[in-house]
Amino acid sequence: PVHPSLYDIAPTTGTPAQPETLEVSPTFKVSQGTVGAFSTLFSKSESRGSISWAAFEAAMTDLGFSVIPKFGSVFTFFPPQDFAVQKSLTVHRPHKSRIEGHALLIYARRLKRVYGWGEQSFEVA
């Protein structure tokens, strides 16, 4: 045939794939309350508990984030100028102002994806 077959398997002649380098997020020295909020948020145990919206908001402001209410229950957190990642985070404040259940997983996943944070990213100052 004139056209190459879809079933032809040929090695690519490009450069070999480089292993991905994972950036290690810095460890933040914060207050005990902030460590408690983020450890609850990033906990891997089955019974994670819950944190109040006020505790989450206070933890983010402890890191230097600005909290701007958008409309209704939508809030945007803007990082400080000297922060490594200059992306904002927009989230909905949960009903009854408690982050619990699957919402904890959603918040933790978004914080990990945007900022690279995890359970080991925070320690008491």
Side-chain angles (χ1 to χ4, degrees), residues 50-78:
S50 68
I51 58 174
S52 68
W53 175 259
F56 177 73
E57 195 173 356
M60 293 297 282
T61 55
D62 189 23
L63 290 169
F65 280 71
S66 303
V67 183
I68 309 294
K70 297 289 246 183
F71 53 89
S73 63
V74 177
F75 289 82
T76 300
F77 295 88
F78 291 100

Side-chain angles (χ1 to χ4, degrees), residues 88-105:
S88 63
L89 176 73
T90 301
V91 293
H92 286 265
R93 183 184 67 221
H95 298 289
K96 300 181 185 176
S97 296
R98 301 266 337 144
I99 304 169
E100 56 192 3
H102 71 279
L104 279 173
L105 298 173

Side-chain angles (χ1 to χ4, degrees), residues 12-20:
T12 58
T13 58
T15 59
Q18 298 294 327
E20 292 184 27

Side-chain angles (χ1 to χ4, degrees), residues 103-121:
L104 279 173
L105 298 173
I106 293 169
Y107 277 54
R109 183 178 59 224
R110 293 198 52 206
L111 288 169
K112 174 134 181 84
R113 185 178 56 218
V114 174
Y115 303 113
W117 296 348
E119 196 171 3
Q120 304 301 322
S121 299

